[in-house]
Each structure stands twice: as C-alpha cells, then as structure tokens.
C-alpha cells in the first residue's frame, strides 16, 4: 500500500508506519519518523507498485517544504517488468528536505534518485547519517554502485551528503544532466564510483582513489568488510577511537589526525 500526501497538507507526522511506499508533493512540515517501507515491485504482483516519492510541481503551484525523513528503513524495491524504472526513493525537488538516520538496501536501481526538472528545484537538501546497502540491477543480473544518483532534466543543486556509510561498491554517481551549483559530498565512508565534476568533496574516506586533497584514500590501519570498517589489531585502540568519531557523525579531521600520528616514526629511545 502507498500513503499519499498531496497539495495543501500541513503539519503531518507518519510514525512507525509499516507500509509499502509514500508519495509527498506540495506539502509543508511533514515528518516521517521511523517505519519500514517496502517491499514493493514495479509492475506487480504485489499491491505496492510504486517507489516512494518526494517531489514538487511548480506548474500546479505545489511546492514541497520542510520535509524530514528520520530513522526509516527502505528495502526490497524490485523491478518486475521489462523497461520499468524504479528505486527506493525518487525525488524531483523541494525546500528544506532532510533524510537522516535511515537505512536503504536491496534497491533497484538506486537508493535515492535526485532528478531535477524544469518545474521543480532543490533548495537546502541534507542527506546525513544514513546507511546504504546493496543496489541492484536493471536487467536482473549484477549489482550496481548507484546508492545516490544525480540526474534529471536539469542539474540538481543545493544538496549536502554527509556522515553516511556506504557498503563496498556503493557511492554517489551521476547519470544524465550535469549537476548544478552548491552540492557537497563531505565526511562519508564510501567507494570510489567516479568523481562528479562540479561537486565539492572533502573529508571522505574512499575505498579507492580520492576526489580531493581533503579526502583520504582507504585509511591506514583499516580494512572494510562491506558493512563497516575493521581495524588492525596492533593499532586497534587508537583506530577504534578515531572510527567512533565517524559513527557519531563528527568531523573526520580527528580521524586524519590520529592516522597521521600513527604514520610518524617513534622517537628514539
């Protein structure tokens, strides 16, 4: 089943809903607190045949404002029809939208798709402190790396992606139009899936090469098991303390400082 919030809806909280999907357009002050969203499929046979949506339509004067998704789980949105387009959460715009403390896994084809339109825009979007698991296939074969996707008819602008953890192979990708202005990917743990021109990168821990001098290639003393960072035994105490700052959503500068100290040779004597 799908929950629809349209038009002049204001001041609504959906708390701990066990549902298929939701559709949000033209609302003001909506909170989705917790809840389990999915499974859904694109063409049947289930009753839930929809992605979840956060969208707006300026042609109808339906502008979406002040939406927060906090602590929700999105999972098992699957493609069941040839040529279907699907993802866990599809967005086209809105103002003051935050997606935080949530989990996404088994999403086909994206966990979050950001697809700007001529009649919709992004203003102050924050995606923070989330966990991104597996994304999968258009054709039904093979995993993808497209947890968060920038696309659409016009460039997505004004979005910050921070303090998120992506499992091995997952990251932020661009498909379609060039990105717009004022987009930042900062202080995440993610795989190298391509550096997107026009996005500011800083303080990330990458599996693979980095996207800026302010990022770190996969940190000395760590290994990644596909879900979380694991530490080398000889440096466990120092590295666990550093990683704790990541888990708490704090700046990765502390991690970089600890790792830099560990690389220095010990003083003589």
């Amino acid at each position: 089943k799908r929950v629809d919030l349209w038009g002049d809806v204001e001041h609504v909280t959906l708390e701990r809903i066990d549902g298929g999907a939701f559709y949000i357009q033209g609302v003001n002050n909506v909170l989705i607190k917790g809840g389990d969203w999915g499974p859904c499929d694109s063409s049947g046979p289930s009753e839930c045949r929809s992605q979840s949506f956060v969208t707006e339509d300026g042609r109808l004067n339906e502008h979406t404002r002040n939406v927060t998704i906090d602590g929700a789980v999105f999972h098992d949105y699957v493609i069941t029809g040839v040529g279907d387009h699907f993802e866990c959460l599809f967005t086209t715009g809105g103002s003051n939208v935050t997606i935080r403390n949530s989990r996404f896994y088994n999403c086909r084809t994206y966990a979050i798709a950001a697809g700007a339109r001529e009649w919709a825009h992004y203003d102050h979007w924050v995606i923070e402190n989330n966990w991104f698991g597996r994304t999968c296939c258009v054709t039904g074969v093979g995993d993808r790396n497209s947890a968060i996707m920038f696309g659409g008819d016009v460039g997505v602008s004004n979005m910050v992606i921070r303090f998120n953890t992506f499992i091995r192979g997952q990251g932020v990708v661009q498909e379609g139009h060039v990105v717009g202005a004022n987009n930042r990917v900062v202080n995440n743990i993610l795989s190298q899936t391509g550096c997107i021109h026009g996005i500011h990168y800083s303080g990330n821990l990458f599996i693979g090469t980095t996207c800026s001098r302010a990022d770190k290639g996969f940190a000395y003393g760590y290994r990644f098991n596909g879900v979380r960072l694991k530490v080398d035994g000889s440096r466990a105490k120092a590295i666990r303390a550093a990683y704790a700052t990541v888990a708490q959503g704090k700046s990765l500068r502390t991690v970089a400082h600890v790792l830099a100290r560990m690389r220095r040779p010990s003083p003589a004597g």
Side-chain angles (χ1 to χ4, degrees), residues 67-78:
V67 173
T68 298
I69 301 169
D70 189 354
V73 178
F74 298 84
H75 63 96
D76 297 297
Y77 284 67
V78 300

Side-chain angles (χ1 to χ4, degrees), residues 130-147:
N130 303 289
W131 181 88
F132 291 95
R134 176 177 180 257
T135 60
C136 189
C137 8
V138 175
T139 61
V141 178
D143 287 358
R144 290 173 56 90
N145 59 9
S146 48

Side-chain angles (χ1 to χ4, degrees), residues 29 35 98 101 148 157 163 202 205 208 216 225 250 264:
N29 288 313
T98 299
N101 303 324
I148 299 177
S157 298
F163 306 132
S202 178
L205 289 179
K216 296 293 179 182
N225 67 0
K250 297 179 182 178
R264 296 180 192 136

Side-chain angles (χ1 to χ4, degrees), residues 38-81:
C40 286
D41 55 60
S42 61
S43 300
S46 78
E47 294 183 11
C48 177
R49 302 179 185 180
S50 172
Q51 310 101 311
S52 288
F53 286 86
V54 176
T55 183
E56 67 175 18
D57 193 335
R59 299 168 300 184
L60 303 176
N61 200 31
E62 292 185 347
H63 299 288
T64 298
R65 297 163 291 157
N66 305 314
V67 173
T68 298
I69 301 169
D70 189 354
V73 178
F74 298 84
H75 63 96
D76 297 297
Y77 284 67
V78 300
I79 295 173
T80 53

Side-chain angles (χ1 to χ4, degrees), residues 16-269:
R16 293 186 294 179
I17 301 294
D18 186 358
F22 55 78
Y23 194 102
I24 291 174
Q25 178 172 306
V27 304
N28 184 25
N29 288 313
V30 167
L31 170 63
I32 297 177
K33 182 66 173 176
D36 185 289
W37 301 93
C40 286
D41 55 60
S42 61
S43 300
S46 78
E47 294 183 11
C48 177
R49 302 179 185 180
S50 172
Q51 310 101 311
S52 288
F53 286 86
V54 176
T55 183
E56 67 175 18
D57 193 335
R59 299 168 300 184
L60 303 176
N61 200 31
E62 292 185 347
H63 299 288
T64 298
R65 297 163 291 157
N66 305 314
V67 173
T68 298
I69 301 169
D70 189 354
V73 178
F74 298 84
H75 63 96
D76 297 297
Y77 284 67
V78 300
I79 295 173
T80 53
V82 175
D84 287 350
H85 185 281
F86 220 47
E87 47 273 313
C88 279
L89 179 60
F90 184 77
T91 74
T92 66
S95 299
N96 298 319
V97 177
T98 299
I99 303 166
R100 65 188 180 206
N101 303 324
S102 297
R103 295 173 62 86
F104 296 81
Y105 62 91
N106 291 344
C107 301
R108 302 187 186 183
T109 306
Y110 315 105
I112 300 175
R117 301 292 186 265
E118 293 286 353
W119 34 265
H121 73 284
Y122 290 79
D123 183 24
H124 192 228
W125 275 62
V126 178
I127 300 174
E128 63 181 5
N129 295 317
N130 303 289
W131 181 88
F132 291 95
R134 176 177 180 257
T135 60
C136 189
C137 8
V138 175
T139 61
V141 178
D143 287 358
R144 290 173 56 90
N145 59 9
S146 48
I148 299 177
M149 185 275 291
F150 283 82
D153 301 329
V154 297
V156 174
S157 298
N158 305 311
M159 180 178 290
V160 59
I161 300 169
R162 64 188 181 192
F163 306 132
N164 301 285
T165 298
F166 299 74
I167 70 165
R168 180 179 295 276
Q170 298 299 318
V172 180
V173 301
Q174 175 191 357
E175 296 182 10
H177 201 280
V178 297
V179 300
N182 193 31
N183 294 302
R184 295 183 294 141
V185 176
V186 296
N187 295 348
N188 303 280
I189 301 172
L190 71 168
S191 291
Q192 172 56 269
T193 53
C195 303
I196 302 172
H197 181 71
I199 288 181
H200 172 76
Y201 294 87
S202 178
N204 301 289
L205 289 179
F206 276 102
I207 303 176
T209 58
T210 64
C211 288
S212 80
R213 291 184 178 180
D215 296 320
K216 296 293 179 182
F218 221 64
Y220 174 78
Y222 287 96
R223 57 186 175 84
F224 192 57
N225 67 0
V227 177
R228 59 173 60 91
L229 289 173
K230 305 290 286 185
V231 299
D232 291 341
S234 62
R235 301 171 178 86
K237 185 176 180 179
I239 299 175
R240 285 195 184 104
Y243 179 58
T245 68
V246 180
Q248 295 165 12
K250 297 179 182 178
S251 171
L252 288 178
R253 285 180 295 181
T254 302
V255 176
H257 177 68
V258 170
L259 296 175
R261 289 175 56 194
M262 287 165 40
R263 290 190 182 100
R264 296 180 192 136
S266 300

